[in-house]
Each structure stands twice: as structure tokens, then as C-alpha cells.
């Protein structure tokens, strides 16, 4: 059997299983998240690739949380910003556990976007929109202090530029500075 036919067969079986579980009031998205996570766990067990474990944990955890919420066993509202903050924590956990430097970027950038969404939802977005630049600048500073403090200072450059640009945008949005 060719690999294309094998992959197509697996995809059809997974979709069929997802639609079968729909008869038991389990949404297709939940079952696809869970089945995708199980696939990544299996792939990690056979190939020992670290990203497969990360995706397995994220997809399975998200699917199980959504499933428990749909079944009425959990009574909390996981909003998008909280999800981004939790995802960032998962990436940071794996960074500190395994030392893979690439994980520190989503580990700090995703929570900064989540905090930005919280700010927009709870404050006047006409004045608070420049906070995204300051939050991303702070994220780059945290990236520098976490992963690059003894190696390189490149993360300070975008961090400083973003913070200064955010402060300038705040000054314009508050009317402190005007453009003629």
C-alpha cells in the first residue's frame, strides 16, 4: 500500500470516528482534537521527536477540556485570552524542562497577546490599543532574560523598539502628541 493511500485511509477513518462520536453528543472538533493528540502521542512514542509530544499534550488537553465542558462536567468558561496564556505556560514548561530555545518565543508572546485581549475587553480600546506594542516589547525582554542573557543581546533591539513605539502611540492616542 502506498503512503498516500495509507494517509488518506487513516484520515477517512478518523473523520468517520469523529462523526460517529457526534451521535453521542461529542462535537466533531472535540473528537478531532483528541484523536489528533493521540496521533501525536503515538508518533512521539515511535519517533521520539519532541514537537510531537508538545502537540500531543496541547491537542489532547484542549480536546479533553472542551469535551468535559460540553458534557457538563466542568463549569468554567475558557476564553481565548486564557487559552493563549495557558498555551504560553505549556511552551515555557517544555522550554525549562527540555531547554529547547525555540519554545521560549511562543512561551512569552502568546501570553502577551492574551493579556492584550484582556485589556481590550475590560478597558477603553480607543486608548488602550497601543498596549500590544508594549506587551510584545516586554515579551522580547523576557525572552532575552530567559534564554539569551549570556549569549546575545539581539532580543533587546526589537523589545526596545516595540516599547518606544508603543509609548509614542499612547502619547498620540491620549492627545499628548499631535501630528500636523
Amino acid at each position: 500500500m502506498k503512503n498516500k493511500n495509507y494517509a488518506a485511509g487513516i484520515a477517512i477513518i478518523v473523520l468517520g470516528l469523529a462523526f460517529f462520536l457526534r451521535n453521542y453528543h461529542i462535537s466533531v472538533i472535540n473528537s478531532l482534537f483528541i484523536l489528533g493528540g493521540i496521533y501525536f502521542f503515538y508518533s512521539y512514542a515511535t519517533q521520539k521527536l519532541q514537537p510531537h509530544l508538545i502537540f500531543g499534550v496541547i491537542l489532547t488537553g484542549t480536546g479533553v477540556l472542551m469535551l468535559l465542558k460540553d458534557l457538563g462536567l466542568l463549569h468554567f468558561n475558557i476564553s481565548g485570552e486564557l487559552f493563549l496564556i495557558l498555551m504560553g505556560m505549556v511552551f515555557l514548561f517544555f522550554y525549562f524542562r527540555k531547554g529547547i530555545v525555540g519554545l521560549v518565543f511562543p512561551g512569552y508572546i502568546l501570553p502577551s497577546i492574551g493579556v492584550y485581549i484582556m485589556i481590550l475587553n475590560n478597558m477603553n480600546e480607543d486608548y488602550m490599543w497601543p498596549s500590544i506594542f508594549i506587551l510584545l516589547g516586554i515579551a522580547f525582554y523576557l525572552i532575552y532574560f530567559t534564554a539569551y542573557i549570556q549569549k546575545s543581546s539581539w532580543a533587546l533591539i526589537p523589545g526596545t523598539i516595540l516599547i518606544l513605539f508603543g509609548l509614542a502611540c499612547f502619547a498620540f492616542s491620549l492627545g499628548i502628541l499631535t501630528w500636523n
Side-chain angles (χ1 to χ4, degrees):
M1 184 180 280
K2 295 183 179 181
N3 284 339
K4 287 183 181 179
N5 294 338
Y6 182 72
I10 297 250
I12 289 171
I13 290 171
V14 166
L15 281 174
L17 186 59
F19 281 106
F20 172 75
L21 291 175
R22 186 174 172 206
N23 293 332
Y24 295 101
H25 305 292
I26 298 172
S27 73
V28 175
I29 299 295
N30 289 355
S31 52
L32 287 177
F33 269 102
I34 293 170
L35 293 172
I38 291 170
Y39 166 76
F40 278 112
F41 279 134
Y42 172 74
S43 179
Y44 173 74
T46 58
Q47 299 174 6
K48 299 294 183 200
L49 297 173
Q50 191 69 33
H52 291 231
L53 177 65
I54 294 168
F55 287 125
V57 167
I58 291 169
L59 288 176
T60 306
T62 304
V64 167
L65 283 176
M66 289 184 341
L67 174 68
L68 292 175
K69 184 179 182 243
D70 287 346
L71 293 175
L73 298 174
L74 289 179
H75 302 287
F76 68 92
N77 187 8
I78 184 163
S79 57
E81 57 268 11
L82 182 60
F83 179 73
L84 289 173
I85 292 170
L86 290 175
M87 291 291 293
M89 294 168 106
V90 168
F91 279 109
L92 285 176
F93 170 77
F94 281 112
Y95 166 73
F96 286 114
R97 181 106 164 120
K98 298 292 182 179
I100 301 170
V101 177
L103 298 177
V104 77
F105 294 98
Y108 284 120
I109 291 174
L110 288 175
S112 66
I113 294 171
V115 169
Y116 172 69
I117 294 171
M118 275 192 219
I119 288 172
L120 286 185
N121 289 339
N122 296 317
M123 296 182 177
N124 187 354
E125 69 181 63
D126 293 336
Y127 297 112
M128 297 306 292
W129 64 267
S131 62
I132 185 66
F133 301 115
I134 294 173
L135 290 169
L136 287 175
I138 292 171
F140 274 102
Y141 270 90
L142 290 172
I143 289 168
Y144 167 74
F145 288 120
T146 303
Y148 291 101
I149 194 162
Q150 298 295 327
K151 300 172 188 164
S152 175
S153 62
W154 72 267
L156 295 176
I157 296 169
T160 304
I161 291 170
L162 285 167
I163 289 174
L164 291 176
F165 185 72
L167 290 174
C169 289
F170 261 125
F172 279 112
S173 70
L174 294 175
I176 296 171
L177 294 176
T178 58
W179 186 271
N180 291 332

